Amino acid sequence: MSKIKFILNGNAVELDVVPTMRLLDVLRNNLGLTGPKEGCGEGECGACSVLVDHQLVNSCIMPAGNVAGHEVITIEGFNKQSRYKKLADTFARAGAVQCGFCTPGMILAAEALLNEVPHPDEQQIRQAISGNLCRCTGYSMIVKAIKMAAEEGGGLW
Amino acid sequence: MIACDIGKPVRKVDNDIKLSGQAQYIADFHVDGILYAKTIRSSCPRGKIKKIDMPVLPNGYFAVTADDIPGKNSIKFLIDDWPFLAKDKVNYFGEAILLLVGPDRAKLLELADKVHIGYEKIPAILTIEDALSGNFVPIFGQNNKFAVYDYEKGNVDEAFSKAVKIIREKYATGYQKQAYLENQGMIAVPEKDGKVSVYGSMQCPYYIKNALVQALAVDEKKVRIVQAFTGGGFGGKEDYPSLLAGHAAFAALKTQHPVAVLYEREEDTAYTTRRHPAEITLETALDGEGRILGMKADINLNGGAYAGISEVVLQRSIYNICGVYNIKNLRVTGAAVATNTVPNGAFRGFGAPQVIFAIEMHMESLAKAFSIDVLTYKKMHIVKQGDRTATNGIFYDEVKLPAMIEKAQRMSGYTAKRKTYQAKPKLHKGIGMSLFLHGCGFTGSGERDIIKAQLKLCKQKNSSKVEIFAANVDMGQGLQTSFRKIAAKALEIPITDVLFAYPDTERVPDSGPTVASRSIMIVGKLLQKAAEKLKKRWQEDNDIEIIQNYEAPQRIKWMGEKSEGDAYPAYSWGVNVVEVKVDPLTYEVSVLGTWSVFDVGQAIDERIVEGQAQGGIFQGLGYAAMEVMTNDDNGRSRQNNLTNYTIPTSMDFAPVENHLLKTYYEDGPFGAKGVGELTLLGAAPAYASAVAQAMNIHVAKLPVTPEYIMREAEQNE
Ligand code: FES
Ligand code: FES
């Protein structure tokens, strides 16, 4: 066990955990944040996506110790922000949500992209979500939602 | 808001809870005092269990075996041969033998490593060929077949005797894993007086309930099943969840603790049901002009180690073998055979994708043999209103295929491209078109004789709210929204005034399983009728409860013993076009475009249907192109995660352009027919046809991998 300090959804947290524990387990089990999901547990599906220093990360393959001193944002933190509201609105209008299991990860993948590239083209969007699997939608409606957010988001990103 | 045009999209009612990460899937449940169960599985494909060496279990840890099952140790299906936990013998690698249960998941893994099971091996049947060879001791019955079918229409022998040419071909299709993003999971909670409540990811709450009542040998009041948010199903959560629920319930009752059975991806991929591999032989008698006089079809499905629902899957295969073509003289034989592999089960399309692929590719071969353009040839044979189905039923409704084909041609530029690519083989480009149908709802008289769906609609005194009570689930396909929309439209009230909770068998009647593209067409119609009755009684000054029972449409006639009559009440239709370019060095295929036209009656929500079309076609392309699943010499799946079982990503295929035809089906709510499964069926044959053109090969196998294309191309040289 060791003490790990980091910023989680805007608040400083300090935890006693084994540093090799998966960040996903720390978030879900120790902190009760179940927005990040486990779809594969091996970095393949993106359901466990979180932002670490605003980069998209698969929390199932990141040791908790690695986030010491960094900033972590999960869907629970991001869903309070105006950027989330825009994305949620365009995801709804584009029909980008089916079973919802990939959705929190997709939203964070979209945020990570738009934060870097406020006006991505279709190819950049497809690339940005290529680590996030969705078995329901066939992706195009998600791509459209992200495109709409970029177009309508004036100033948010 | 009053939904005036029912098809006009509305915001889905569950968007926000899913988007914000607040939706609670079963692994997200927090339950005090919960224990976890780890399944110990067979490492032998077929054998007798000789001994089980168990480690000493620490305090608070338990083992659950077949002896802890109070009632019948088999999952309730048509044929009850699949044990929850193997007792003396195992029939596939990965079969569940016992459960280790305890509070710490890491500790359970440690203990699991110390369980040693000894087997006396029996030669295993691994393939359809083995199964039919007669060289092995049968796994099931005398002939090793879970089900055998045989039917005939017209006079096949006469047709063959008149034939100028006879063409016989074999087709084969592989496994496909549902690969929903959320793995299977159940939590059972012991209640007072031997009762148990089970929560989980599922499509069919009442299937699970009935399975548990039998396995626990209890009164039906002692079992309660509640659906949690479900992260995709695609059929995979139709049959298998009964097994998980059983495991969780046995453990919960034994330990008197809540018990969670949560599969990880590896377990889910390697050991839960998949799509049946098929071997299909088609033999066609033709006249001098290439017209089909008659056809003989033989279909064998690999059912895996236990019967499960293989018989019903087989029915869909054998009754849909003609695809959209009018074949007057037909003989069909089919079997679901037993092998020592993971039992196969439901998957979107349910026995139809296999045969639609075969008939579409066969039609191409027939056209080629007579040097007729393939689309022209198909059009010579497509059914029209009033024609007979494969089982001598009737296509009662208008068949709009000609208009759909035309639309698909315009959208995709099919005709010009097909010509160009034919003329310029060096381009290595191809474009293929598939025509297909899907029988909506259960096959045969299942709806009337077995399911007997019931739906309840209630309005409390002095309330403007209406509540729907139905057992059908939302697993992502949007039922939470579309059911509310149907009620709102029929009652002319705002959709926000319609309540529809996730099913809980203690609250909802059995409106049947969420399968077979039946929820909207069958249960949605019950809902519409109930709502219309409620509307008439709206002013009553008391609580109102409307019970609506299923009644088969008058026109439907089915004689099951003879496989004769209307196997389905209605059909949805589709046309898909896929355009590809093949790299002649690596044989890698790029999909340049996909176009689709569907007739699903009236869409209850055009955006939801669009989502089904997009997602279904992608799953179909995965089936066609990349989803490879094979077994090793122990019948063990070589693929056990999303790295070695690859499903489409956002980069794999070009976007799909889709068009919906507006039609009206009188026995569906506001004219709606089935949607979900249809959308998967056409991608594989269209893709295969495109690849065939690009490389000038014949495609007789799914998936169409680069290795397969290479083999066929080299044979051609
Ligand atoms: S669960 Fe982390 S990538 Fe799949
Ligand atoms: S919506 Fe189901 S996995 Fe994406």
Side-chain angles (χ1 to χ4, degrees):
Chain A
M1 291 276 204
S2 60
K3 279 215 188 318
I4 296 175
K5 287 195 214 171
F6 60 102
I7 310 285
L8 176 62
N9 295 331
N11 303 312
V13 291
E14 193 172 328
L15 286 178
D16 254 334
V17 294
V18 180
T20 54
M21 244 177 105
R22 308 186 307 170
L23 176 60
L24 178 63
D25 293 332
V26 172
L27 294 170
R28 290 180 57 90
N29 304 339
N30 301 43
L31 296 160
L33 299 176
T34 55
K37 309 290 177 200
E38 176 158 351
C40 71
E42 53 180 21
E44 198 61 42
C45 76
C48 63
S49 295
V50 300
L51 299 176
V52 177
D53 297 340
H54 243 93
Q55 301 294 311
L56 193 69
V57 158
N58 289 328
S59 65
C60 72
I61 49 169
M62 169 158 285
N66 286 21
V67 300
H70 295 271
E71 186 182 359
V72 177
I73 298 174
T74 70
I75 190 70
E76 287 89 348
F78 186 59
N79 74 21
K80 315 232 159 34
Q81 300 182 14
S82 45
R83 287 176 170 190
Y84 166 79
K85 301 225 159 71
K86 179 83 263 174
L87 280 165
D89 178 53
T90 60
F91 267 60
R93 280 158 47 216
V97 184
Q98 288 195 31
C99 80
F101 202 76
C102 71
T103 307
M106 285 290 182
I107 290 280
L108 292 174
E111 162 62 14
L113 168 69
L114 296 178
N115 191 52
E116 297 261 316
V117 188
H119 296 288
D121 60 24
E122 163 122 8
Q123 207 45 30
Q124 286 171 309
I125 298 174
R126 288 192 174 265
Q127 183 76 49
I129 61 168
S130 64
N132 291 70
L133 295 177
C134 174
R135 188 59 155 170
C136 300
T137 64
Y139 304 102
S140 286
M141 295 163 96
I142 297 175
V143 172
K144 183 172 161 206
I146 299 173
K147 215 181 283 169
M148 283 162 68
E151 277 160 18
E152 299 169 11
L156 277 172
W157 286 278
Chain B
M1 182 227 52
I2 293 169
C4 25
D5 172 5
I6 187 99
K8 199 167 155 241
V10 301
R11 249 172 212 260
K12 283 168 74 179
V13 297
D14 50 4
N15 276 328
D16 288 332
I17 192 166
K18 288 177 174 174
L19 281 155
S20 60
Q22 288 167 302
Q24 298 268 300
Y25 300 82
I26 192 66
D28 303 334
F29 278 40
H30 177 86
V31 185
D32 285 326
I34 198 158
L35 304 180
Y36 298 92
K38 166 79 193 150
T39 310
I40 307 297
R41 300 176 179 281
S42 169
S43 57
C44 166
R46 187 179 193 187
K48 295 195 177 111
I49 298 174
K50 280 297 167 200
K51 63 172 177 33
I52 301 181
D53 288 339
M54 293 290 293
V56 179
L57 298 179
N59 231 341
Y61 286 79
F62 305 85
V64 176
T65 69
D67 294 333
D68 293 306
I69 301 173
K72 192 170 172 190
N73 181 15
S74 57
I75 310 171
K76 192 175 165 82
F77 292 119
L78 286 180
I79 301 171
D80 290 354
D81 65 336
W82 186 351
F84 283 96
L85 292 167
K87 192 168 161 68
D88 331 294
K89 57 173 201 260
V90 290
N91 269 320
Y92 64 95
F93 190 106
E95 182 166 0
I97 297 173
L98 60 96
L99 310 166
L100 291 178
V101 182
D104 181 34
R105 293 177 90 175
K107 182 78 192 167
L108 287 171
L109 291 183
E110 223 175 83
L111 292 168
D113 276 343
K114 295 185 187 139
V115 178
H116 297 291
I117 303 176
Y119 306 92
E120 181 186 313
K121 282 199 170 186
I122 301 171
I125 297 174
L126 296 177
T127 60
I128 293 178
E129 199 185 334
D130 288 353
L132 296 172
S133 70
N135 296 337
F136 295 81
V137 181
I139 302 166
F140 183 90
Q142 299 300 311
N143 59 5
N144 203 40
K145 292 174 179 174
F146 297 124
V148 181
Y149 279 83
D150 184 347
Y151 72 93
E152 184 164 344
K153 175 178 81 161
N155 191 334
V156 179
D157 293 332
E158 194 187 306
F160 272 74
S161 72
K162 285 193 193 139
V164 173
K165 196 178 181 92
I166 292 174
I167 295 180
R168 186 170 190 271
E169 291 186 313
K170 283 186 181 225
Y171 289 91
T173 61
Y175 284 113
Q176 188 181 22
K177 191 73 200 97
Q178 296 86 353
Y180 29 69
L181 255 269
E182 181 214 21
N183 295 315
Q184 306 238 9
M186 291 282 162
I187 293 177
V189 181
E191 317 265 8
K192 289 201 299 286
D193 307 325
K195 183 181 159 183
V196 64
S197 298
V198 182
Y199 305 80
S201 187
M202 65 183 73
Q203 292 177 226
C204 313
Y206 271 91
Y207 278 7
I208 300 176
K209 175 164 177 171
N210 297 339
L212 289 199
V213 166
Q214 176 173 302
L216 297 173
V218 291
D219 184 85
E220 56 120 14
K221 291 198 183 64
K222 301 275 186 192
V223 178
R224 174 187 183 200
I225 311 295
V226 187
Q227 189 219 355
F229 274 91
T230 297
F234 314 115
K237 293 171 183 172
E238 169 175 346
D239 37 15
Y240 201 84
S242 295
L243 181 135
L244 261 87
H247 289 179
F250 307 144
L253 291 173
K254 174 164 183 172
T255 63
Q256 284 301 308
H257 277 272
V259 173
V261 182
L262 303 171
Y263 280 6
E264 298 198 339
R265 180 59 61 181
E266 186 180 329
E267 236 175 338
D268 199 301
T269 309
Y271 305 126
T272 67
T273 52
R274 317 90 193 255
R275 189 186 300 294
H276 291 69
E279 287 179 8
I280 299 161
T281 308
L282 297 174
E283 189 177 356
T284 303
L286 302 130
D287 71 10
E289 271 86 60
R291 254 169 235 287
I292 297 176
L293 300 172
M295 187 181 284
K296 295 178 193 166
D298 182 52
I299 301 161
N300 285 294
L301 300 183
N302 180 346
Y306 296 109
I309 55 172
S310 283
E311 176 167 358
V312 197
V313 175
L314 176 66
Q315 288 173 353
R316 199 171 272 279
S317 296
I318 60 167
Y319 299 149
N320 289 284
I321 186 64
C322 296
V324 298
Y325 307 106
N326 187 3
I327 294 166
K328 296 207 166 83
N329 302 296
L330 176 73
R331 180 181 302 147
V332 185
T333 50
V337 306
T339 61
N340 293 110
T341 58
V342 173
N344 293 311
F347 190 163
R348 194 181 208 168
F350 206 79
Q354 296 91 325
V355 296
I356 294 291
F357 165 70
I359 186 68
E360 282 299 281
M361 297 316 286
H362 187 56
M363 290 299 282
E364 233 174 272
S365 297
L366 303 183
K368 220 175 187 174
F370 288 86
S371 304
I372 303 175
D373 162 68
V374 58
L375 184 56
T376 310
Y377 186 77
K378 286 180 175 178
K379 278 160 77 181
M380 278 162 57
H381 291 94
I382 53 179
V383 294
K384 53 185 193 316
Q385 187 171 25
D387 281 351
R388 294 285 168 166
T389 68
T391 52
N392 224 357
I394 296 171
F395 286 104
Y396 293 102
D397 304 309
E398 195 185 345
V399 178
K400 301 229 170 165
L401 273 178
M404 294 168 69
I405 293 169
E406 233 172 79
K407 177 76 191 171
Q409 282 175 303
R410 274 203 306 277
M411 286 164 75
S412 63
Y414 171 86
T415 310
K417 286 176 182 171
R418 182 93 191 166
K419 265 208 196 99
T420 310
Y421 300 161
Q422 209 58 39
K424 298 182 179 163
K426 293 243 155 57
L427 288 175
H428 295 296
K429 283 187 172 184
I431 190 163
M433 181 185 286
S434 62
L435 316 179
F436 49 100
L437 82 182
H438 194 67
C440 307
F442 269 98
T443 300
S445 56
E447 202 65 67
R448 186 190 66 206
D449 298 338
I450 301 170
I451 302 298
K452 303 186 176 107
Q454 185 178 80
L455 172 133
K456 190 166 84 177
L457 192 64
C458 294
K459 177 181 172 299
Q460 315 250 278
K461 185 178 165 179
N462 301 328
S463 165
S464 61
K465 303 244 191 255
V466 166
E467 183 166 5
I468 302 167
F469 294 84
N472 299 88
V473 312
D474 193 318
M475 50 182 151
Q477 87 284 35
L479 203 68
Q480 280 284 318
T481 303
S482 38
F483 265 15
R484 281 183 172 87
K485 239 181 136 175
I486 290 169
K489 165 90 176 163
L491 286 160
E492 294 180 68
I493 60 173
I495 193 169
T496 44
D497 277 354
V498 184
L499 311 176
F500 175 35
Y502 269 52
D504 169 346
T505 56
E506 248 162 40
R507 297 188 71 235
V508 303
D510 186 358
S511 57
T514 312
V515 305
S517 307
R518 69 180 284 280
S519 299
I520 289 292
M521 190 180 86
I522 301 287
V523 188
K525 185 70 181 181
L526 299 184
L527 175 56
Q528 183 191 3
K529 285 184 184 165
E532 280 162 0
K533 285 183 190 159
L534 178 58
K535 189 163 183 233
K536 291 203 185 107
R537 296 174 53 187
W538 194 256
Q539 299 306 338
E540 283 178 24
D541 189 22
N542 49 296
D543 293 353
I544 310 172
E545 180 182 292
I546 313 273
I547 304 273
Q548 191 69 42
N549 289 303
Y550 175 76
E551 289 158 33
Q554 285 292 321
R555 66 188 195 184
I556 298 308
K557 291 174 192 64
W558 177 247
M559 285 159 289
E561 336 71 62
K562 295 205 285 191
S563 292
E564 198 178 308
D566 299 305
Y568 303 97
Y571 295 86
S572 290
W573 304 85
V575 176
N576 281 179
V577 178
V578 175
E579 183 183 6
V580 304
K581 179 169 171 39
V582 184
D583 183 323
L585 296 175
T586 63
Y587 301 100
E588 297 284 343
V589 180
S590 320
V591 172
L592 306 177
T594 303
W595 298 266
S596 59
V597 182
F598 291 115
D599 164 9
V600 295
Q602 167 66 52
I604 293 302
D605 186 291
E606 282 156 14
R607 193 159 56 205
I608 289 178
V609 173
E610 176 73 20
Q612 289 295 300
Q614 295 281 342
I617 289 171
F618 256 55
Q619 260 177 359
L621 286 172
Y623 184 47
M626 61 194 288
E627 297 184 26
V628 178
M629 185 166 251
T630 55
N631 295 326
D632 69 11
D633 296 344
N634 277 321
R636 176 190 197 176
S637 177
R638 290 196 182 89
Q639 291 73 23
N640 60 0
N641 56 41
L642 294 173
T643 311
N644 52 29
Y645 186 76
T646 49
I647 61 172
T649 71
S650 55
M651 306 288 284
D652 285 318
F653 304 120
V656 177
E657 196 187 314
N658 178 43
H659 176 79
L660 282 185
L661 219 68
K662 262 202 196 270
T663 60
Y664 184 89
Y665 166 56
E666 64 177 5
D667 286 310
F670 301 103
K673 297 187 285 192
V675 177
E677 297 176 281
L678 173 78
T679 58
L680 186 141
L681 302 181
Y687 179 91
S689 165
V691 170
Q693 185 184 36
M695 297 305 289
N696 190 26
I697 56 172
H698 174 57
V699 173
K701 210 172 157 199
L702 289 179
V704 192
T705 60
E707 297 74 39
Y708 178 79
I709 301 170
M710 181 175 80
R711 249 197 334 271
E712 295 300 306
E714 281 172 358
Q715 261 174 32
N716 266 1
E717 276 163 15

